[in-house]
Amino acid sequence: MNHRIILLAHGSSDKRWCDTFEQLASPTLDAVPDSRIAYMELAEPSLDTIITEGTAEGVSQFTIVPLFLAAGRHLRKDVPAMISELEKANGVTIKLAPPIGENPLLGQAIRDLVLQQLDTSAT
Amino acid sequence: MNHRIILLAHGSSDKRWCDTFEQLASPTLDAVPDSRIAYMELAEPSLDTIITEGTAEGVSQFTIVPLFLAAGRHLRKDVPAMISELEKANGVTIKLAPPIGENPLLGQAIRDLVLQQLDTSAT
């Protein structure tokens, strides 16, 4: 496949943090063929690892879906700078999608889980 | 109402950050009577403001639902310390729910929105 989806999480030295993101990513990784999770910093696989690996496997187009609720400095500055370097180093195209929190489906899921929690605590 | 749900976001001095969280919170605020959004730092309304206001209105039990994908230092240390002080200062009970990212509904919503994006870009 010539196009690969990468779910990008922040990363942490705390394994519990990464475990949560791997569980969060799991339904997408199951549903989207050839997709991957990568970390911006402090954990592996790094974005660099995943892009280099994909390039070696013949992928030339990547789309990064940030597992971030909103765009702060990381998504406005740090990640675009990383992307620019990785594109040059690997001769590939990397598109940065909006953070997941900007999609209305997320707000609906938050509503549903809060209602679910209220239901559980009421019974 | 004697119990109030508070959606807690990190906060930022960047208005665009807060706008995203307000949109994310909107379906929940519409669906859950008397619920509020509050910010941990750098934006208003602060958690302190929302708890003090609620206490003055006769609310004695609060549940904080963190609009965070995973629990890092903020949710493991900073927020519990804030809660403990606010409970003492206001004579109320404040429960800290798990971060939204620990609920499987979130992972399913991420899958759905990635599939939706792939659909849109394919057409």
Side-chain angles (χ1 to χ4, degrees):
Chain A
M1 189 173 291
N2 195 35
H3 178 231
R4 185 166 287 175
I5 297 286
I6 300 169
L7 298 178
L8 182 71
H10 183 280
S12 164
S13 55
D14 185 343
K15 199 186 166 298
R16 293 171 297 181
W17 173 276
C18 297
D19 286 348
T20 302
F21 278 96
E22 272 152 41
Q23 281 167 33
L24 264 179
S26 169
T28 307
L29 299 178
D30 288 347
V32 179
D34 209 37
S35 56
R36 300 281 191 280
I37 185 171
Y39 294 99
M40 206 192 85
E41 59 184 28
L42 301 171
E44 278 293 332
S46 68
L47 188 57
D48 182 73
T49 299
I50 289 296
I51 297 283
T52 309
E53 220 174 71
T55 305
E57 288 164 23
V59 179
S60 62
Q61 292 191 306
F62 298 86
T63 297
I64 296 177
V65 178
L67 298 183
F68 286 68
L69 291 176
R73 185 178 46 82
H74 286 320
L75 292 184
R76 295 189 193 278
K77 295 200 172 170
D78 304 341
V79 175
M82 293 168 80
I83 286 177
S84 172
E85 287 205 14
L86 287 166
E87 284 186 321
K88 276 184 218 150
N90 294 281
V92 296
T93 305
I94 306 171
K95 190 186 145 197
L96 181 61
I100 54 167
E102 290 185 7
N103 189 304
L105 288 175
L106 249 279
Q108 292 163 23
I110 293 169
R111 175 199 60 206
D112 293 347
L113 76 84
V114 170
L115 292 173
Q116 184 194 67
Q117 282 178 4
L118 285 172
D119 248 18
T120 313
S121 61
T123 51
Chain B
M1 189 174 290
N2 196 35
H3 178 233
R4 184 167 288 176
I5 298 285
I6 300 169
L7 299 179
L8 183 71
H10 183 282
S12 164
S13 54
D14 185 342
K15 198 185 165 298
R16 295 171 296 181
W17 172 277
C18 297
D19 286 347
T20 303
F21 278 94
E22 270 151 44
Q23 279 166 35
L24 263 178
S26 167
T28 308
L29 299 178
D30 287 346
V32 178
D34 209 36
S35 55
R36 299 283 190 279
I37 186 171
Y39 294 98
M40 206 191 86
E41 59 186 24
L42 301 170
E44 279 292 333
S46 69
L47 188 56
D48 182 72
T49 299
I50 290 294
I51 297 284
T52 309
E53 220 174 71
T55 306
E57 289 165 22
V59 180
S60 61
Q61 293 191 307
F62 298 86
T63 297
I64 295 176
V65 178
L67 298 184
F68 286 68
L69 291 175
R73 182 179 46 82
H74 285 321
L75 291 184
R76 294 188 194 281
K77 295 200 173 170
D78 304 340
V79 174
M82 290 167 82
I83 285 177
S84 172
E85 287 204 16
L86 288 166
E87 284 186 321
K88 275 183 220 149
N90 295 281
V92 296
T93 305
I94 305 170
K95 191 184 145 197
L96 181 61
I100 54 167
E102 291 185 7
N103 189 304
L105 288 176
L106 249 276
Q108 292 162 24
I110 293 169
R111 176 198 62 206
D112 293 347
L113 75 87
V114 170
L115 292 173
Q116 183 195 67
Q117 282 179 4
L118 285 172
D119 249 18
T120 311
S121 59
T123 51

